[in-house]
Each structure stands twice: as structure tokens, then as C-alpha cells.
Amino acid sequence: MRETPWWHDAVVYEIYVRSFADSTGDGIGDLAGIRARLPYLADLGVDAIWLTPFYRSPMADGGYDVADYRDVDPLFGSLDDFDDLVADAHDHGLRLMVDIVPNHSSAAHPWFQKALNAPEGSPERDRYIFRSSPAGRPGTEPNNWLSVFGGPAWTRLPDGQWYLHLFAPQQPDFNWNNPEVREDFLTTLRFWLDRGVDGFRIDVAMGLHKAEGLPDTTIGFGARSPIWSRPEVHQVYREWRELLDSYPGERAAVGEVWTDSAEDLALYVRPDELHQSFNFAWLEAPWSATAFRAVIDATLTAMPAPTWVLSNHDVVRHTTRYAEGAAPSAGLARARAALLTMLFLPGSAYLYQGEELGLTEIKDLPPEVRQDPVFFRTQGAMPGRDGCRVPLPWSGTAPPYGFGPGGTWLPQPAHWAGLTAERQTADPDSTLWFYRRALAARRTLRGTLPDTVTWPDSPADALFLSRGRLISALNCGTEPVRLPPHDRVLISSGPLDGALLPPDTGAWLLRD
Ligand code: GLC
């Protein structure tokens, strides 16, 4: 009998649905494609999968612009396909989490369409955030807020009113002071819980409420921001927690929460709120033992069961981030080494599709194939996130590399011929096999190690951590370091040199 709930130490695999596997030949991944690849995920050894939005959407932001929260977009399949996927995932021993997008809907959502056609001050407009220009300044935005995707956060309507969109203009922000909004999201949560989902990833979880009067600001994600992490948002998650707890089977929620500090982050995971929140400080840390140690210390001080994540569909893949200022081959070596540190730490770990194949960011996508609104709203000044969203290479020696019977919505590079899942399955030294071995080792140790992490003495550029009899060693420096005392090496991310840990290498060591 397990003593801790599953999410406490789960390994969750993020599926960016449009780029995972395509069953129809339209070049876009779908639910049936995922279903056919469940054996691969079970073999990989993850505990759960998280699906990015597959709901009805005009796809202005890859589906994070939802027009109907309680239906599947025909691009991705049907509700029947979803039910089949849940059933099959459970048969494979995999939990399934879905993305919920409460900060904003699509402009095509029926509520927003009604709001557009309703007058100023109407109940229809009250479900979103409509405002007029400041007194005496006609034609001026209601305040100075900027869209996360570039440009102002306001769009003006022909009648002179503006609506708020913290992201693209096709993503109007909801008014979370409106009880209808709160009620409708509870209905949506119930809808998917009733269909058997094991939990939710909450998009922009620190948005939702905005400060009264919508004052100007230049503050980032800090606690004093009028945009992010307002105190009222916590009441929403208390209600959601109550709902989740009313279902059997440990349903869980993880928030996408960007904050300035681990203390602010910890507020979201108080016992009556979310189960988890993403800990992006780990992902944001550079390749440095000092930086890693600072993040790990701050996180574990603030939260008993944190999360760890190195890549997702919004950031440059860590193989590429870690290669900055280093030899290109260092990126993969460091990514593999960092995985061992991440999987060692107490709490749960989130993997992003393709990292198990050692995929890098595809930086040279031509402008005409790019789709991320970030690229367009910044006139190309920011490349956007398409480079980490290129459809996965499964098999074969030429595009679409088994992605599906047709093409791919973004072009795949030629060098992926050597990185397909098929090719790596045939090579015991591949990154895929390294991930499988690391995940298997973590499973074997699960439940046998204390959550408390201690820091054995280590050279300045290395990170030695221990949990009971297991030690994790990581060398972020340029010289080999002597391994700490141990009886056995359980796994290493690259070859060891006798008792020395080479640069850009990690290892798990056991004391009997
Ligand atoms: C989150 C998602 C991102 C999306 C944004 C707006 O940050 O992860 O992909 O663009 O929210 O919904």
C-alpha cells in the first residue's frame, strides 16, 4: 500500500497534442495518435501524461484559445476518442491530466461573441474585462498593461470600449469577479472529472483576478503586481480543491504559476489549495552548481512536495539552453546529467515530449511556417515557441519520420533521422535508453528514501546531494571531480573515469 498520494512523486510526461503523433494524415497530432503510442510511454516508465488543450478552438494560440471547454476540436478527434484514450491510458497504468485555461477564452467563445454585440455595462460584457478610455483621454488604452505576447494588452471595439487580453487579442481575459464565470469553470471541471481524468494543469494560474481599478504597473510577477498572484485567486483554488477532493481516486491539480520567489509559489500549495505548482526557478537556472543549489535550497525550504521541470512547450529546449557558450555537444551531456539531479529530488518531475530523444530547439524555421503569435506580435523580434514544438520523429529515415500518414505542420530537420524513437530503441547507449534506465531506477527507489535532502561536502563546481543511502553527484565545472564515498554506481549520464566524475556528467551512487 502506497503511503503518499500518486502525484507527490510522480513523473508526468507533457504531450503537446498537435506535435506528438498524427493518426489521420493532416500533419497535426491527435488523440488517436496518442492512444496508439501509449505502449511507448508505458515502456518509458512515466506515471502520468498531461495533454495540452484539445478543446474546440480557432487555434490562434495552438489551442490555448478555447471556444468550447467541454468538447474536443475535430482536428484532434471526438469525445469518444477522448473516452477511449482515458480508458487505454488507465489500462497501461498511466494517469491522465488535462489542461484547463481559466484566465481567458477564445474570442470565438459564445460568451465573448455575445459580449461584442451587447452594450457597454451589460451583463454580457461583465463576463470579460471591458473598459473605456480614461476620462479626458479618448482613444487611449484604459491603462499601461502590456500583452505577454508583445504590444498593448487592450483592443478597441468600434463602439469605443476596450477589452483586456493579457495574451493575444483572440484571447480575451475573463472577469473572475463574475459568479457565472466561477460557476462555469466548476461545471467544466466536473465534466472532465466525470469522464475519468486524474487531474488538471492550470494555465496561467496566477492570472484570473486583477487589482480593483486596474492601476498602471511596471512590476513583473511579484506579489505587489496588480495583474498577477492577487490574493483573491486563492479562493478560486480552494473551491477547486474541494471539488477535486469530492471525487474518489486522488484527483490533482498543478498550477502554471510564475512568481518571483519560492515563498509566493508556496502560497498556491497550501493544504486546502492546489496540490502542486510548477517550479520554474529550476528551469530558469543557468548551468551552474551555485545557481542549482540556490534553487534547490529555496524550493525545499518553501515547499514539502515541489515539482521540477526543465522543458515545456513554452521555452527553449534545455539541450539548447545548456549549450549556450559551450561546445554544442555539451548541451546533450548536460541535459542528461541534469535529468539525474531532477529525478533524484523529492517531489514530482515533469518531462516534455522529445527530451527523452535528446531533441534540441529547431532555431532555423523559416518565417512562413512559423505559427506562434509571439513571433508575429513582436514582428519577429522574438522567435516564439515553434522551435520546441516540431512534430516528434518516431521512425524511418526521412520526414515525417513516422509522425503520421501525411506531413507535419512544422518541418522536421534532416538530422532527426538519427534520433527517431525507433533508431534509439535499437541502441542501448541512446538517450532514450538512458531515460528508461533512469526512470526505472527512480521507480525501484520510490518510497524507500527520506524526503530530506542533505549536502555532503563537494568541490565548488559540483553538486553532491544525498537522500538517505542515495547520493546524486553532478559536475557543472570544467575539471573532473572525485566522487563522494559510495559502494555502488547505480547509473551515470555518461562514462565515469574510475573514481572521477567528468565535467557535464551526473551519477547516482548508493551506500549499502
Ligand atoms: C500558458 C501556456 C502557453 C499559452 C499561454 C496563454 O503560458 O503554457 O502556451 O500561450 O498560457 O494561454
Side-chain angles (χ1 to χ4, degrees), residues 61 64 101 104 149 167 171 201 203-204 256 313-314 385 389:
D61 181 22
Y64 280 95
V101 189
H104 45 263
F149 289 168
F167 295 87
Q171 295 167 296
R201 177 265 189 188
D203 189 63
V204 197
E256 186 207 17
H313 67 285
D314 289 328
R385 303 159 294 176
R389 298 174 176 180

